[in-house]
Amino acid sequence: MKYILGVLTLLFAVMYSNLGHTLPLEKLTLPDGFKIEVYAEGVTNARQMAWGKNGIIYVGSRGEGKVHAVVDTDKDGKADKVVVVAENLTMPTGIAYKDGDLYVAAVSEVLKFENIDDVYANSPKPEVVISGLPTETHHGWKYIDFGPDGWLYVPVGAPCNICQTVGDGKFDDPRFASILKFDLATGEMKWVAKGVRNTVGFDWQPDSKELWFSDNGRDWMGDDIPPCEINRVTADDQHFGYPYIHGGDIIDPEFGSGKDPDDYTKPELKLGAHVAPLGVHFYQGEHFPAAYKKSLFVAEHGSWNRSEKSGYRVMRANFDGTEIGSYETFIEGFLNPDDTVWGRPVAFLTLPDGSMLISDDFANVIYKVTYQK
């Protein structure tokens, strides 16, 4: 019996180790000079990533309920070990690292794992640092990060496709459909943005320090409306339209009656309908060509209910320092000509050497993008 178990374990290990190599990376197209390869495999349902001490990369998941540590032990530029840091959490997609501690968003609470780099392999016990957030799991998974002001930014998605979240008997909580921020030292909470259906990615423009975020448009208005959005926060108390206005000018048929689109903040960029933008990332590394510096990368996770699939690609928005210029494809090929899919990009992380990681929660891998002149 022990022999059989040993053989099965060996076979599983071989399958596990070869998983990433079976992905059809040759189908992916990138601009000249860029290369994509698998950095880590077997990272089930890989979502947001954070860079820790000694090059350890922490990765959240959604349906898997686990937090992983991805380690490059031999420092060859590719991970060779994946460790489960925590499990049985509720959609721990959001990951943030600060001062040696790991923060994990699990729908209704945010957990802190102290000195994570020293204890990640020992099933560490977390401390709850934010509690009492809504428990709804519909759009309840989160992307979190510390802003330039030191506060922890935490979105709370709408608990539905389309619904009234203020003054409604079922979902009467003003925190729904918003982005919040918390001072963890005092417990103080402030609103950053309202009228945000579901953001699963944001970043700060490196010069202005303004927050830019993706927002997923509502479903069941047709294949081509409303557009998904890239938005920018430029002032306090901005409302981005949900559930009344979509894409800056489309009045919602259920909740938009009597609403004026000009009363709401319009998107900086309208994307395709249902492309599901998740991670957004201002590139600040030195490895890519100079033209890519401060470009905004967008992970279009891909549609789920469109008659012909859309998204399933990585996009790049040129940025002149004040506004978006062209919006062009950076990586495509995850979507096959027959409308089947083998990968779905989620989030970004620029490494200290300027190369860029991209998580994929469908292929269960993390890719690494490099450039060679």
Side-chain angles (χ1 to χ4, degrees):
M1 185 64 179
K2 289 183 178 180
Y3 173 78
I4 294 174
L5 289 175
V7 171
L8 290 174
T9 300
L10 178 61
L11 288 173
F12 178 79
V14 171
M15 293 171 61
Y16 180 93
S17 65
N18 289 330
L19 175 62
H21 301 294
T22 65
L23 295 177
L25 297 185
E26 70 278 359
K27 292 185 176 182
L28 298 177
T29 60
L30 295 84
D32 289 344
F34 286 92
K35 177 184 178 181
I36 187 168
E37 56 190 335
V38 172
Y39 176 81
E41 53 196 6
V43 191
T44 310
N45 199 225
R47 300 284 289 199
Q48 188 178 357
M49 300 171 287
W51 173 265
K53 187 173 66 175
N54 301 324
I56 300 171
I57 296 168
Y58 299 99
V59 190
S61 68
R62 189 174 72 169
E64 183 71 4
K66 295 180 180 179
V67 176
H68 298 91
V70 175
V71 189
D72 176 10
T73 57
D74 57 8
K75 308 300 181 184
D76 67 346
K78 182 177 180 181
D80 46 59
K81 184 167 68 172
V82 177
V83 178
V84 175
V85 176
E87 54 189 336
N88 300 319
L89 301 178
T90 305
M91 298 180 175
T93 55
I95 299 288
Y97 182 95
K98 185 179 182 183
D99 300 331
D101 300 329
L102 181 69
Y103 297 81
V104 177
V107 180
S108 63
E109 59 186 8
V110 176
L111 311 173
K112 181 176 79 170
F113 295 83
E114 290 190 352
N115 301 315
I116 187 62
D117 303 298
D118 299 326
V119 300
Y120 71 87
N122 301 320
S123 301
K125 302 301 180 185
E127 169 193 356
V128 177
V129 293
I130 298 175
S131 62
L133 295 171
T135 59
E136 294 290 333
T137 55
H138 192 129
H139 296 154
W141 56 91
K142 295 170 171 55
Y143 181 101
I144 62 172
D145 204 358
F146 286 92
D149 55 6
W151 292 51
L152 182 64
Y153 286 63
V154 181
V156 180
C160 53
N161 170 41
I162 187 77
C163 58
Q164 176 72 51
T165 57
V166 178
D168 181 275
K170 183 177 182 181
F171 299 122
D172 193 7
D173 189 327
R175 296 174 299 175
F176 282 128
S178 68
I179 301 175
L180 311 172
K181 67 177 182 178
F182 294 83
D183 183 337
L184 297 184
T186 66
E188 182 181 2
M189 183 199 86
K190 292 182 179 180
W191 261 270
V192 177
K194 298 179 181 179
V196 180
R197 180 176 178 270
N198 184 37
T199 180
V200 198
F202 50 78
D203 199 6
W204 289 265
Q205 203 284 327
D207 296 323
S208 68
K209 309 303 180 185
E210 291 174 334
L211 181 72
W212 290 64
F213 65 90
S214 62
D215 196 7
N216 286 224
R218 69 155 290 181
D219 297 315
W220 310 121
M221 286 184 68
D223 272 0
D224 300 317
I225 60 171
C228 292
E229 304 172 10
I230 301 297
N231 292 290
R232 172 169 59 167
V233 178
T234 59
D236 294 335
D237 299 322
Q238 286 180 299
H239 194 295
F240 291 85
Y242 179 89
Y244 316 114
I245 307 296
H246 310 290
D249 54 14
I250 298 174
I251 298 175
D252 187 82
E254 296 178 60
F255 296 99
S257 178
K259 302 296 183 180
D260 184 350
D262 290 336
D263 291 337
Y264 302 93
T265 303
K266 299 184 184 302
E268 290 292 319
L269 183 64
K270 299 180 184 182
L271 310 183
H274 313 297
V275 298
L278 299 190
V280 297
H281 178 65
F282 283 102
Y283 179 77
Q284 299 185 60
E286 302 293 338
H287 178 62
F288 292 0
Y292 287 78
K293 193 70 175 285
K294 300 178 185 177
S295 291
L296 181 68
F297 286 88
V298 179
E300 293 188 354
H301 194 236
S303 60
W304 65 272
N305 65 341
R306 198 170 184 272
S307 57
E308 291 186 10
K309 290 184 174 67
S310 61
Y312 302 96
R313 58 187 182 174
V314 175
M315 303 295 289
R316 172 195 169 217
N318 291 304
F319 195 80
D320 66 5
T322 57
E323 60 185 27
I324 289 177
S326 63
Y327 187 66
E328 57 196 35
T329 303
F330 183 67
I331 304 174
E332 64 180 348
F334 298 105
L335 177 62
N336 294 317
D338 63 0
D339 230 25
T340 58
V341 174
W342 63 269
R344 304 185 78 181
V346 176
F348 304 95
L349 179 66
T350 297
L351 299 182
D353 66 1
S355 61
M356 187 166 68
L357 301 184
I358 304 171
S359 59
D360 184 330
D361 66 349
F362 187 82
N364 302 319
V365 300
I366 297 172
Y367 307 105
K368 183 177 182 179
V369 177
T370 55
Y371 179 79
Q372 185 173 2
K373 297 180 181 179

